[in-house]
Amino acid sequence: MTAARHKITAEARRARLGPRHLLAPGTRADTPEAVADALVALHATDPATVYLSVAARLRNASVAELERALYEDHSLVRMLCMRRTMFVLPTALAPVADAAAARSVAARERKNLAKVIEEQLGLDGEWFAATQESVLAALAARGEATASQLADDVPDLQRQIVMSEGKPYEARPRITSRFLGVLAAESRIRRGRPLGSWASSQFRWTVAEPHPDLPVEAARTELVARYLDAFGPATTEDVKWWTGWTLTETRKALAGIDAVPVALDEGDGYALPRQLEAPPAPEPWAALLPALDPTPMGWRHRDWYLDTDHKAELFDKTGNIGPSVWWNGRIVGGWAQRPDGEIVTHVFADEGAAARRAVDAEAARMAAFFGDVRIRPSFRTPLERWLSA
């Protein structure tokens, strides 16, 4: 007979979220680097998410502090890695994420673009390599440059390809963005300061040095240990989904760390030994997290902190979450920024006066952080659309 697995309740998991993961009042971080370290990586598909995720967890939210970390100290780096998703993560962890996930993503990106260029434009690998060197030389000469400036310096970047030929949404874009995206995925170049506000999705580019070549399996083991430290307890499916690995790769990485099999409401899972003890009840707390925040995007299974009846309101059709309101470890509603800058919230059920005051206080705090900046999530969800209108 096999020994019964340690049971970890949903209540215990929610209690752990506040002080460890969401950094509730009393445990909030002092620096953007500390926030990123606590969460392993910040989702950056939508540029505004990085700033809003950090602002929700800092004692004193500051755009300047995050810009310093990204563009001056380079203590945080933006890179395409797990699940072919853009993240911002601590620079010290970047080589691990590169070997564990980004390297294979970059190889696929290069292969796919090279195939399209050869099939549609008749240009081979030698052309690709020569154009790459021209781009790097032009960027080194400028110091930093926009995609448009690089296309002026290297006219081959202005070549066009056909996307979705024959469809109503057929497009003929330049190869500029995809070509630069491949070089960025390989860490040959990196995104610098945005052209507009901190919420802008247009970046300047600078030359970068590729990451050290770490062994893949050791890197996966380290990454899964970091994931469980922040997101555990979690199921094998949670880990597989978050990393983008195959099931075999996921199981092998889990076998290489000091993880303990446990029983969760959604099935068998893993936890670090210290996570077996029931955490103390945290002080009441509220949080307004942005669309694609790393916390609600951290698990494949979400029923332990989200009522299934509200999934359709909070998520789009491909599984991207919109802005969410949290109270004591549960998602209890959503929020949006209206065109005039007002932060409006909607809570699904009455959580009491304390919750209303805490949510209102967080809404005021986030409104002050936004200032004159206006955003619209890249992935719209039903509740966000309704609230913003």
Side-chain angles (χ1 to χ4, degrees), residues 48-113:
T49 294
V50 179
Y51 288 84
L52 299 177
S53 293
V54 169
R57 296 170 171 91
L58 280 184
R59 288 188 177 89
N60 299 298
S62 168
V63 170
E65 279 293 292
L66 184 51
E67 289 181 332
R68 169 196 55 75
L70 283 168
Y71 309 125
E72 296 175 20
D73 297 347
H74 301 298
S75 52
L76 296 177
V77 61
R78 182 182 275 105
M79 60 188 293
L80 194 71
C81 42
M82 289 75 73
R83 287 198 324 281
R84 194 183 168 275
T85 295
M86 190 68 68
F87 285 95
V88 164
L89 62 162
T91 300
L93 185 62
V96 174
D98 178 68
R103 196 179 301 166
S104 59
V105 169
R108 287 195 299 271
E109 293 294 297
R110 175 177 281 263
K111 180 180 179 180
N112 292 341
L113 180 58

Side-chain angles (χ1 to χ4, degrees), residues 228-259:
L228 270 189
D229 184 47
F231 293 86
T235 67
T236 302
E237 190 176 357
D238 288 328
V239 180
K240 176 180 178 294
W241 180 83
W242 187 85
T243 58
W245 298 334
T246 66
L247 182 59
T248 298
E249 291 167 346
T250 302
R251 286 172 171 166
K252 190 171 185 178
L254 284 167
I257 65 172
D258 187 22

Side-chain angles (χ1 to χ4, degrees), residues 99-324:
R103 196 179 301 166
S104 59
V105 169
R108 287 195 299 271
E109 293 294 297
R110 175 177 281 263
K111 180 180 179 180
N112 292 341
L113 180 58
K115 180 180 179 182
V116 170
I117 288 174
E118 184 170 7
E119 290 177 349
Q120 294 194 21
L121 304 178
L123 302 171
D124 59 14
E126 290 186 5
W127 173 89
F128 202 113
T131 303
Q132 171 184 302
E133 293 309 310
S134 296
V135 170
L136 294 176
L139 191 53
R142 283 184 176 268
E144 67 174 17
T146 65
S148 178
Q149 289 171 329
L150 288 173
D152 289 340
D153 292 345
V154 185
D156 272 344
L157 291 181
Q158 300 178 27
R159 294 176 182 269
Q160 293 177 296
I161 56 177
V162 181
M163 304 292 292
S164 304
E165 186 174 9
K167 302 288 180 64
Y169 44 87
E170 177 183 311
R172 296 176 180 271
R174 291 179 173 185
I175 65 171
T176 311
S177 294
R178 287 189 63 181
F179 199 96
L180 295 178
V182 168
L183 300 189
E186 295 174 341
S187 298
R188 300 177 188 274
I189 64 176
R190 65 167 173 254
R191 291 164 178 81
R193 289 185 182 274
L195 294 179
S197 73
W198 51 265
S200 172
S201 60
Q202 292 184 302
F203 295 90
R204 298 173 177 87
W205 295 95
T206 61
V207 176
E209 291 294 326
H211 299 293
D213 192 10
L214 302 183
V216 173
E217 290 188 5
R220 286 177 179 156
T221 300
E222 183 173 349
L223 185 64
V224 80
R226 289 292 303 273
Y227 170 83
L228 270 189
D229 184 47
F231 293 86
T235 67
T236 302
E237 190 176 357
D238 288 328
V239 180
K240 176 180 178 294
W241 180 83
W242 187 85
T243 58
W245 298 334
T246 66
L247 182 59
T248 298
E249 291 167 346
T250 302
R251 286 172 171 166
K252 190 171 185 178
L254 284 167
I257 65 172
D258 187 22
V260 180
V262 295
L264 307 174
D265 287 351
E266 61 267 35
D268 293 339
Y270 288 90
L272 299 180
R274 64 172 178 77
Q275 295 169 341
L276 300 180
E277 299 178 6
E283 293 295 319
W285 57 271
L288 268 61
L289 299 186
L292 295 177
D293 184 85
T295 292
M297 294 296 290
W299 296 272
R300 178 68 179 84
H301 297 284
R302 303 179 174 106
D303 295 356
W304 57 276
Y305 63 83
L306 171 62
D307 188 329
T308 56
D309 291 340
H310 299 301
K311 281 186 177 180
E313 297 170 87
L314 289 163
F315 288 81
D316 70 6
K317 293 181 180 179
T318 56
N320 299 303
I321 193 169
S324 55

